[in-house]
Amino acid sequence: MSRTATAILSTENLLHNLQVIKNQVKPSKIIAMVKANAYGHGIRSVGLRLDGQVDMMGVASIDEALALRKAGVKTDILLAEGVFEQNELLIAATEKLHVVFHNQTQMEWLDKSTLPLPIHAWIKIRTGMGRLGFGPNEAHQSYEYLRGHTKTHKPVRVMSHFACADDKKHPLNAQQMDIFKSFIQDVDSEFSLCNSAGIFNFQDCYYDYVRPGLALYGISPIPEKSALELGLRPVMTLQSSLIAVQRFDKGDSIGYGARRTYDADIPVGIIAFGYGDGYPFTTKDGTPVLVNNIPCPLVGRISMDMMAVDLSACPHAQIGDPVLLWGDKLPLEYIAKHTDHIPWNIITGIQNRVKFMWTRM
């Protein structure tokens, strides 16, 4: 019998979350971010379920874009980090991909390329994130250059990215908004600024396109608000089962490093799931899981293939009983608070030995 580590993925919840976002931002268009294997949910499966439901899909590389095309996805695709070498421009033109330009080298590659079709071009400007993009002083010149280029479709669209949108009161947010607004005030085009957190915190910044990522998968991007409060439902329910149940005596310890020693006799269950499956190694004692839908605290260090749980609240649990690690009744963002990780880091870390099972489309 194979391991019982399973991720149940809900088509219904994915489409529900999309509708929540659409209702929030209408009439703005949706660029669904499916990079990083659709935030750990499976880029092909998510892409096919969103095909025709969103205006565009956002990926980090041309390999991700080609995986979507090979799977049969016909929706427009945005290369959010642009091309990494010159020959990718030919592929982008052939596949009619949207390409973000964020440095001078990429524009030089455009000059040197022979393309069968013009490129759908975006320009990224730096407003405060400090990663990719043209600085405000050079952005206007670069934009005009792309806008006048014979190898680009018109309009050339403009984007930037919030650095602190999850903290509504952070002063950098207002600074970024001002820089972006100043840049686009004389530009006749389409614009995009908001990520998931921006969608729920900055209604005045939706512009023409928003780019939901985490929220699309039913996880709150706002630390002080739950997914439920935002109307979102988790797409992934992660579950396994007990593979051992035993009695621990007072003074016994469990796990590597003997981190946890018991001060009373307790029943302990062993779950077939560990950091080798993607559960965070840094998870602390007391983190809840649901055994037979009853909250039980984790005890001891997470192992590669297993974790231990105090069954005092569920003393009649047996081998084979179901365990829910996160999902509809136990939000991932709540689990993240018991670790040294963020939800993005955890959800993209689920490994391929976990069985993925989608509900029907």
Side-chain angles (χ1 to χ4, degrees):
M1 183 177 177
S2 62
R3 297 178 83 242
T4 55
T6 305
I8 307 297
L9 298 121
S10 171
T11 300
E12 296 84 355
N13 285 359
L14 177 67
L15 297 180
H16 166 84
N17 296 334
L18 175 60
Q19 192 59 53
V20 168
I21 294 167
K22 283 183 174 181
N23 292 342
Q24 178 82 14
V25 306
K26 61 183 179 184
S28 297
K29 301 173 186 177
I30 306 290
I31 302 176
M33 299 308 295
V34 297
K35 62 180 182 174
N37 200 29
Y39 287 51
H41 291 69
I43 190 170
R44 295 167 184 83
S45 298
V46 171
L48 287 171
R49 284 163 173 78
L50 295 181
D51 197 24
Q53 305 290 326
V54 296
D55 301 282
M56 207 174 296
M57 297 185 199
V59 299
S61 70
I62 206 158
D63 290 336
E64 292 177 331
L66 293 178
L68 288 170
R69 286 287 183 255
K70 189 173 181 179
V73 171
K74 296 179 174 59
T75 297
D76 286 343
I77 298 173
L78 172 71
L79 298 179
E81 296 177 24
V83 295
F84 298 162
E85 53 188 37
Q86 183 179 329
N87 65 356
E88 290 182 353
L89 283 169
L90 177 59
I91 301 171
T94 303
E95 296 290 343
K96 300 181 180 180
L97 306 178
H98 288 237
V99 179
V100 173
F101 288 82
H102 56 77
N103 63 54
Q104 188 61 40
T105 298
Q106 291 172 329
M107 304 225 286
E108 292 171 2
W109 289 342
L110 182 64
D111 287 340
K112 298 173 184 176
S113 297
T114 300
L115 304 178
L117 296 166
I119 288 286
H120 294 276
W122 292 65
I123 187 170
K124 188 167 191 175
I125 63 171
R126 284 199 319 274
T127 57
M129 179 60 122
R131 297 185 309 186
L132 305 179
F134 295 96
N137 293 332
E138 58 181 339
H140 280 289
Q141 181 179 354
S142 300
Y143 171 77
E144 290 298 331
Y145 183 80
L146 280 176
R147 191 173 71 88
H149 209 292
T150 59
K151 298 175 186 175
T152 61
H153 273 290
K154 310 303 178 291
V156 172
R157 297 172 175 88
V158 182
M159 70 184 302
S160 191
H161 192 72
F162 277 118
C164 305
D166 59 331
D167 180 0
K168 191 171 185 178
K169 296 180 180 179
H170 198 289
L172 184 57
N173 292 317
Q175 179 180 323
Q176 289 193 260
M177 292 179 207
D178 289 344
I179 293 172
F180 192 74
K181 188 181 297 185
S182 176
F183 179 84
I184 66 173
Q185 63 182 353
D186 297 321
V187 173
D188 183 17
S189 184
E190 293 184 324
F191 315 115
S192 179
L193 180 59
C194 279
N195 54 4
S196 287
I199 288 170
F200 292 103
N201 272 344
F202 301 117
Q203 288 82 355
D204 293 337
C205 297
Y206 292 158
Y207 295 109
D208 301 282
Y209 291 89
V210 296
R211 308 189 305 272
L214 197 68
L216 193 61
Y217 305 102
I219 303 167
S220 173
I222 311 295
E224 64 274 13
K225 289 188 177 180
S226 68
L228 183 63
E229 289 176 285
L230 298 177
L232 304 173
R233 300 173 184 168
V235 174
M236 180 187 291
T237 295
L238 195 64
Q239 61 187 41
S240 187
S241 66
L242 296 178
I243 59 170
V245 176
Q246 46 201 326
R247 190 83 184 177
F248 275 66
D249 296 329
K250 181 178 179 179
D252 287 345
S253 63
I254 189 168
Y256 288 110
R259 183 174 80 182
R260 178 63 186 268
T261 301
Y262 300 104
D263 53 11
D265 298 350
I266 66 166
V268 171
I270 306 301
I271 302 167
F273 211 97
Y275 65 76
D277 301 292
Y279 202 87
F281 174 75
T282 63
T283 305
K284 299 174 177 61
D285 288 310
T287 303
V289 301
L290 301 184
V291 179
N292 292 327
N293 287 320
I294 298 172
C296 296
L298 291 176
V299 288
R301 187 185 295 178
I302 304 296
S303 300
M304 183 179 290
D305 313 300
M306 292 174 278
M307 60 179 75
V309 60
D310 181 343
L311 292 175
S312 297
C314 191
H316 302 296
Q318 302 176 28
I319 291 173
D321 282 355
V323 177
L324 187 141
L325 302 173
W326 66 65
D328 196 34
K329 298 178 181 178
L330 190 59
L332 172 61
E333 57 266 36
Y334 180 73
I335 299 300
K337 293 177 180 179
H338 292 76
T339 75
D340 294 336
H341 298 275
I342 56 175
W344 295 261
N345 174 216
I346 298 173
I347 200 67
T348 57
I350 300 302
Q351 299 300 304
N352 58 12
R353 69 175 180 174
V354 176
K355 293 188 290 290
F356 275 46
M357 300 175 63
W358 278 91
T359 60
R360 290 184 179 272
M361 294 176 64

